[in-house]
Amino acid sequence: MVRAEMTSSRFIHLYDSTLRDGAQTLGVYFRTDDKRRITTLLDEFGIDFIEGGWPSANPTDDAFFADIPQRRHAHVMAFGMTHKKGRTAQDDPQLQALVQSDADGFCIVGKCWDFHVEHTLHVGLEDNLRMIADSVAFLRTTGKRVIFDGEHFFDGYKQNRTYAMECLQAAAHHDAHCLVLCDTNGGSMPDHIAHVTNDVVRQQGNIPIGIHCHNDMGLATANSLAAVEAGARHVQGTFNGLGERCGNADLVSIIPTLVYKMGYQTNISQERLRELTFYAHAIDHVINRLPSPSAPYVGTRAFAHKGGLHSAAVMKNPLSYEHIDPARVGNQRQLIVSNQAGKTGIRSLLETHTPPLHANDAQLDNIASLIKQKEFQGYSYDKADASCILLARSIIHPNHPRPFAVKDYHVTTCQDSSTANVTIQTPDEKTYSCEKITEEGPFHALDSALRCVLQPLFPSLSRLTLSDYKVLILPQGENTAATTRVMITFTYHDAPECSTIGVSANIIHASWEALLDAFYWALMYDEAEQNNAHAISAS
């Protein structure tokens, strides 16, 4: 059944090696539970083959294969290599570990570059061919699927085409289900990949040909797609491009390109493909890794427009600066407010924000001008949406009083504690003060003192939760006189997550500025909610 699909002219099978190749990524470590969770995600998404790891290589992989999660679609494959020199396939411990695992099939790697055979394996060329043939034949006796990965195939083909082809034939002769051409060093160009793949497809007849590329020149995606155009019908890669050195081919980029740009079919439904961003980010979340904002299709910047001319054009017709509707991959368009912004992007931010703000053309001009001035000083409103809204509101409603004003604040700190004192004044000119001593540092002391003085007046502020605090030293000033940018991320009641920003040569003042904006935004949100409630009751 699989072979019939794989040899159809427009059908591509997808093979994910995140759990093995991805585990070789610097700084990435999979626990057994992580592997199980990722397996479930990949199966839900519609991946055909999931390479679970290498049985007998480590306790994590052994535990995974001893208890593989239930699946609706995907085949879990166990990875290994041809039997060792001086052994037979039947008595090779690592091949026996493959057979004894509960995997649905096997993927074994064999050398296809004569240089590697002689100088890494230290065996004769004929011996290597026998090792490939015997290993495939032994695994086929289980009745399970066997995929052969031809390691260093493209380098081997370049140096000795005849021998590289003989390696593939040794696996094909014993009924391997698929022959995968590996650009193991990631050093091949797309035209070479296409030429070699086309040659192999013609030579091997009806047996499916696959592609496995590494990203050492940043060409793994392009090389994989070139192989498909040349006849490969099985694509190997990892989610989010994880892998050794510069990573493997990124299935997150390859899959939508195959379907939307090249017209190929996969087992991933259109409905699932609309959730691509969710699955890409979910897998990063499992391994505690921040998603790349610049990732094609799924990154937060993939459909973010910062330039004023670009934003205006996109609002008129998204095709002007977007190669695909972001909804087709589960992403969304962003019109970023910055020193590059025009009125269109600012208007979009204000009107789509909660609560919405409406500005006339003159006000939009003033907002854009003020943003540019502030960003020249070191502010950045790309992500500080709450601070941007407050800045705009000060221009749209210049006479609207704030719920409180800061009369004074100060903080002192020593080795074991910090003390903060905050004094505010309300519009009726009443003054309130509070002092807090904490062991968690000056910023926490300021936050505690501000809450102490405000929450009796505004009890709803108990729902304001700070979730992130980032400090960045800007390339201004010298040494300890450098300018500091502080960004705070927070949640409030049922509102979407927001961020505020502060900039100063004094890190405490920059933090205080961002903190104040968070409290001001929360109270502005409350005011809008109350106005909406009054409007509804009046109607």
Side-chain angles (χ1 to χ4, degrees):
M1 179 185 69
V2 173
R3 183 170 297 192
E5 283 181 330
M6 293 173 68
T7 54
S8 66
S9 61
R10 306 301 294 177
F11 193 91
I12 308 297
H13 263 99
L14 301 168
Y15 184 108
D16 182 274
S17 62
T18 301
L19 300 182
R20 187 191 64 82
D21 275 313
Q24 299 181 57
T25 309
L26 184 65
V28 169
Y29 171 76
F30 293 117
R31 299 171 304 164
T32 303
D33 284 347
D34 295 336
K35 288 198 165 200
R36 293 189 180 118
R37 291 168 64 192
I38 291 173
T39 297
T40 299
L41 287 167
L42 294 173
D43 178 52
E44 285 178 359
F45 186 59
I47 296 296
D48 302 297
F49 301 98
I50 301 170
E51 192 171 275
W54 193 324
S56 78
N58 57 71
T60 300
D61 286 4
D62 290 344
F64 172 80
F65 282 106
D67 185 17
I68 301 172
Q70 293 294 316
R71 298 162 314 283
R72 294 180 295 182
H73 168 75
H75 301 278
V76 168
M77 308 294 284
F79 182 84
M81 62 182 296
T82 56
H83 71 77
K84 291 186 179 297
K85 175 184 177 181
R87 292 184 179 272
T88 65
Q90 289 81 358
D91 68 6
D92 186 83
Q94 63 98 20
L95 287 182
Q96 284 292 339
L98 296 186
V99 171
Q100 292 166 15
S101 74
D102 288 331
D104 301 314
F106 315 109
C107 178
I108 62 167
V109 62
K111 302 288 187 184
C112 293
W113 186 4
D114 56 0
F115 168 79
H116 258 268
V117 172
E118 295 178 325
H119 297 280
T120 301
L121 287 182
H122 301 291
V123 301
L125 299 183
E126 290 298 321
D127 291 331
N128 181 59
L129 294 177
R130 282 192 294 272
M131 289 160 61
I132 294 172
D134 292 347
S135 299
V136 172
F138 170 66
L139 294 176
R140 284 293 288 125
T141 62
T142 65
K144 295 182 177 181
R145 184 177 289 106
V146 178
I147 293 173
F148 176 72
D149 274 12
E151 189 178 28
H152 294 289
F153 184 81
F154 292 95
D155 291 313
Y157 181 100
K158 187 181 296 184
Q159 182 164 313
N160 187 338
R161 174 188 178 278
T162 300
Y163 185 73
M165 288 292 201
E166 288 176 349
C167 292
L168 295 183
Q169 189 56 41
H173 182 71
H174 290 279
D175 205 22
H177 288 79
C178 182
L179 305 176
V180 180
L181 316 182
C182 300
D183 185 28
T184 309
N185 286 341
S188 297
M189 298 288 287
D191 58 345
H192 179 61
I193 295 283
H195 167 74
V196 173
T197 303
N198 182 260
D199 188 20
V200 172
V201 169
R202 287 188 290 107
Q203 289 287 326
Q204 293 299 330
N206 291 326
I207 190 167
I209 302 302
I211 184 69
H212 177 114
C213 294
H214 287 252
N215 201 39
D216 296 72
M217 296 196 301
L219 294 174
T221 295
N223 283 342
S224 299
L225 298 174
V228 169
E229 286 286 73
R233 293 296 178 263
H234 167 109
V235 176
Q236 296 190 357
T238 61
F239 252 61
N240 302 316
L242 292 173
E244 190 177 19
R245 304 188 309 276
C246 301
N248 286 45
D250 187 356
L251 290 178
V252 176
S253 293
I254 289 172
I255 295 168
T257 303
L258 286 172
V259 174
Y260 290 139
K261 305 291 186 176
M262 301 170 70
Y264 288 96
Q265 297 174 320
T266 72
N267 275 319
I268 298 172
S269 67
Q270 294 282 330
E271 181 181 358
R272 280 292 188 230
L273 200 47
R274 286 178 172 270
E275 298 180 73
L276 177 65
T277 299
F278 166 80
Y279 282 97
H281 291 181
I283 288 172
D284 271 334
H285 177 72
V286 171
I287 58 176
N288 197 30
R289 182 175 182 260
L290 286 175
S292 169
S294 299
Y297 291 105
V298 300
T300 54
R301 300 174 186 165
F303 301 97
H305 307 280
K306 188 171 181 178
L309 290 176
H310 292 197
S311 296
V314 165
M315 291 297 290
K316 293 175 183 176
N317 188 334
L319 291 176
S320 57
Y321 283 99
E322 291 177 353
H323 67 98
I324 190 174
D325 179 356
R328 299 181 79 186
V329 290
N331 209 337
Q332 59 185 355
R333 179 179 304 118
Q334 295 187 68
L335 300 181
I336 304 300
V337 176
S338 74
N339 62 355
Q340 301 293 317
K343 292 189 292 186
T344 302
I346 297 171
R347 180 184 287 113
S348 175
L349 172 69
L350 299 181
E351 293 182 355
T352 59
H353 207 276
T354 302
L357 290 170
H358 303 283
N360 59 40
D361 284 348
Q363 290 169 334
L364 288 171
D365 285 334
N366 291 336
I367 294 168
S369 176
L370 182 56
I371 286 172
K372 292 174 183 179
Q373 293 174 28
K374 299 281 282 184
E375 292 211 343
F376 181 74
Q377 298 168 17
Y379 291 82
S380 176
Y381 293 100
D382 290 29
K383 296 296 182 183
D385 46 357
S387 288
C388 186
I389 288 290
L390 291 170
L391 182 148
R393 191 175 193 246
S394 69
I395 291 177
I396 297 170
H397 301 297
N399 298 320
H400 190 87
R402 287 196 167 186
F404 70 92
V406 177
K407 295 291 290 181
D408 183 41
Y409 83 93
H410 62 264
V411 60
T412 58
T413 186
C414 60
Q415 182 174 348
D416 298 322
S417 66
S418 295
T419 303
N421 192 293
V422 173
T423 301
I424 68 161
Q425 186 178 64
T426 54
D428 58 5
E429 298 188 352
K430 292 183 178 179
T431 300
Y432 303 87
S433 296
C434 189
E435 181 179 89
K436 281 290 182 179
I437 302 173
T438 72
E439 298 178 355
E440 286 79 13
F443 178 66
H444 182 65
L446 281 172
D447 179 38
S448 300
L450 188 58
R451 289 177 186 274
C452 170
V453 75
L454 289 178
Q455 280 184 197
L457 302 172
F458 310 102
S460 62
L461 290 178
S462 62
R463 299 176 298 182
L464 179 66
T465 302
L466 306 186
S467 55
D468 199 9
Y469 172 76
K470 289 186 172 68
V471 177
L472 180 67
I473 304 301
L474 301 176
Q476 302 173 18
E478 296 181 3
N479 301 320
T480 54
T483 300
T484 303
R485 176 192 294 165
V486 170
M487 188 166 289
I488 292 172
T489 302
F490 63 93
T491 56
Y492 183 65
H493 193 33
D494 57 353
E497 187 175 72
C498 290
S499 294
T500 54
I501 192 170
V503 173
S504 174
N506 182 334
I507 186 173
I508 298 297
H509 185 72
S511 302
W512 174 249
E513 184 181 10
L515 183 67
L516 272 181
D517 270 5
F519 281 84
Y520 280 135
W521 188 92
L523 294 176
M524 180 186 71
Y525 182 85
D526 278 348
E527 180 186 346
E529 291 291 289
Q530 292 168 7
N531 291 339
N532 288 339
H534 290 155
I536 292 172
S537 63
S539 63

